[in-house]
Amino acid sequence: RSSLFLLALRLVQLNEGSVDSSDRRSARAKMPAKTKKTSKKVKKQQLKFVIDCTHPVEDGIMDVGLFDQFLHERLKVNGKKGNLGNDIKITREKEKIHVVSEIPLKKSYLKYLTKKFLKKHNLRDWLRVVASNKTTYELRYFQINNEEEENEEAE
């Protein structure tokens, strides 16, 4: 009985941490290492994107106001449509739409929504979305001139 009692007492001491120095080595080997908690200062990154609709607006086939409204309604934040709040600001400047985001936002998501808008208004057959630089998309016409010249030469 006494050996069982001593073994049980030893297990209780191991669990509580009150073990003499010879047994601490084995107890440390079983315990995971402590991790240091470092505090990092997180900068609020501000992402700025521009969608340039100059060509279709000058030709009168697209309205920037409708596109602006479409982005306000369809842009998702935290999985909810139209939940822009203070995180994302969409402004319109003549033929350009500026999107400023305080939270992570993919540029390709704006391209996806732009294509969706063009498809909804039956403009997808004539317009394409092209990245003119790192933060800007531009709506351009497809080049159809080559096909017309080939048809004229064949006749």
Side-chain angles (χ1 to χ4, degrees):
R1 285 185 176 179
S2 63
S3 62
L4 285 174
F5 177 74
L6 290 175
L7 184 62
L9 182 64
R10 191 78 156 163
L11 287 172
V12 170
Q13 288 176 344
L14 280 173
N15 288 338
E16 290 178 358
S18 60
V19 183
D20 59 339
S21 62
S22 63
D23 292 330
R24 283 190 184 158
R25 290 182 200 142
S26 61
R28 282 186 192 158
K30 295 176 186 176
M31 295 176 68
K34 291 183 180 179
T35 57
K36 292 183 180 179
K37 293 182 181 179
T38 57
S39 62
K40 293 183 180 179
K41 292 182 181 178
V42 178
K43 286 185 180 178
K44 280 194 173 181
Q45 60 180 359
Q46 193 175 45
L47 302 170
K48 297 178 184 180
F49 300 109
V50 178
I51 302 172
D52 186 6
C53 308
T54 305
H55 299 295
V57 170
E58 286 176 351
D59 294 339
I61 63 169
M62 184 178 151
D63 184 20
V64 181
L66 289 175
F67 183 46
D68 183 25
Q69 182 182 358
F70 179 84
L71 287 177
H72 275 283
E73 292 170 358
R74 299 292 177 102
L75 202 66
K76 283 187 180 180
V77 177
N78 295 329
K80 295 182 182 178
K81 287 183 180 179
N83 184 22
L84 301 181
N86 296 329
D87 297 329
I88 297 177
K89 294 181 178 109
I90 301 172
T91 56
R92 181 177 45 173
E93 234 179 73
K94 296 182 183 178
E95 293 93 17
K96 295 183 180 182
I97 292 185
H98 297 273
V99 179
V100 179
S101 175
E102 301 289 335
I103 59 173
L105 178 69
K106 290 186 177 182
K107 184 181 165 191
S108 58
Y109 182 53
L110 290 177
K111 183 175 184 176
Y112 164 75
L113 287 175
T114 305
K115 286 180 173 183
K116 198 167 185 171
F117 174 80
L118 293 175
K119 185 71 175 175
K120 180 179 177 184
H121 292 281
N122 298 322
L123 298 172
R124 186 79 179 99
D125 296 333
W126 295 281
L127 293 171
R128 63 187 185 140
V129 184
V130 179
S132 55
N133 65 38
K134 191 175 180 180
T135 60
T136 305
Y137 276 123
E138 185 177 347
L139 297 180
R140 293 185 187 168
Y141 290 102
F142 284 110
Q143 296 294 328
I144 310 173
N145 298 336
N146 297 336
E147 294 175 11
E148 291 176 1
E149 290 175 6
E150 290 174 5
N151 291 339
E152 290 175 5
E153 291 175 4
E155 292 176 0

